[in-house]
Amino acid sequence: MGHYGMALLVYAPVGYILVQADPFLAFVGGAGVLALATLPDVDMDLPLVPHRGPTHSLLFLALVAGALGAVGYAVGQGSWQPLGGPTRAAVFGAGIGVLGVGSHLFADMLTPAGVNLFWPLPADSFTFDIARADNTVANYALLGLGAFATAAVLLVAAPA
């Protein structure tokens, strides 16, 4: 729950800008960020991959952003060009990747365990040590903050 809340929270400023220009793109971007919000935890289902290891790093974030940027570029070359061409579509795709995976990393940094952003280099975990990952109150609070930020964007920025 907390990861979805953090994703909504970090996407809210981008959503504010996009909803004024193109509400459909704002929705697509928000859906993409939410879809990626738990992607780094795929390591929990992968044998021999430690939790908060490679999938919780800036390298993984860059790989996901690059892949989505490439998809955006390909989509932008087609007949449907809501962003005005392949370069803008690539930036949009990469941005969704950065926000989606980045929101997960940031949320995990709120926990005592933190994350090693520079994996595979040995380094101390980056942590703000605010709440444990299994803290139900903290997770619901983060979800509530994200939902509030999203609602505020919709109320303030939506076209009349």
Side-chain angles (χ1 to χ4, degrees):
M1 270 173 260
H3 287 300
Y4 294 118
M6 183 62 79
L8 290 171
L9 196 57
V10 301
Y11 182 71
V14 174
Y16 176 82
I17 294 165
L18 285 176
V19 79
Q20 294 177 59
D22 187 338
F24 178 71
L25 279 179
F27 174 78
V28 169
V33 169
L34 282 174
L36 295 171
T38 59
L39 179 63
D41 282 341
V42 71
D43 60 8
M44 296 172 78
D45 297 324
L46 299 173
L48 305 176
V49 177
H51 183 51
R52 295 194 184 191
T55 62
H56 287 69
S57 68
L58 294 176
L59 176 61
F60 183 74
L61 182 145
L63 290 171
V64 171
L68 291 176
V71 168
Y73 189 85
V75 168
Q77 289 184 323
S79 59
W80 184 65
Q81 295 186 353
L83 293 166
T87 302
R88 286 185 177 181
V91 170
F92 180 78
I96 295 307
V98 167
L99 292 174
V101 173
S103 70
H104 184 103
L105 301 180
F106 188 72
D108 279 357
M109 288 170 58
L110 298 176
T111 69
V115 293
N116 177 5
L117 293 175
F118 299 109
W119 182 95
L121 300 175
D124 289 337
S125 291
F126 290 86
T127 178
F128 296 108
D129 196 4
I130 293 175
R132 290 175 39 99
D134 62 356
N135 184 321
T136 304
V137 172
N139 280 297
Y140 274 109
L142 203 48
L143 181 61
L145 279 172
F148 176 80
T150 301
V153 163
L154 292 173
L155 288 172
V156 172

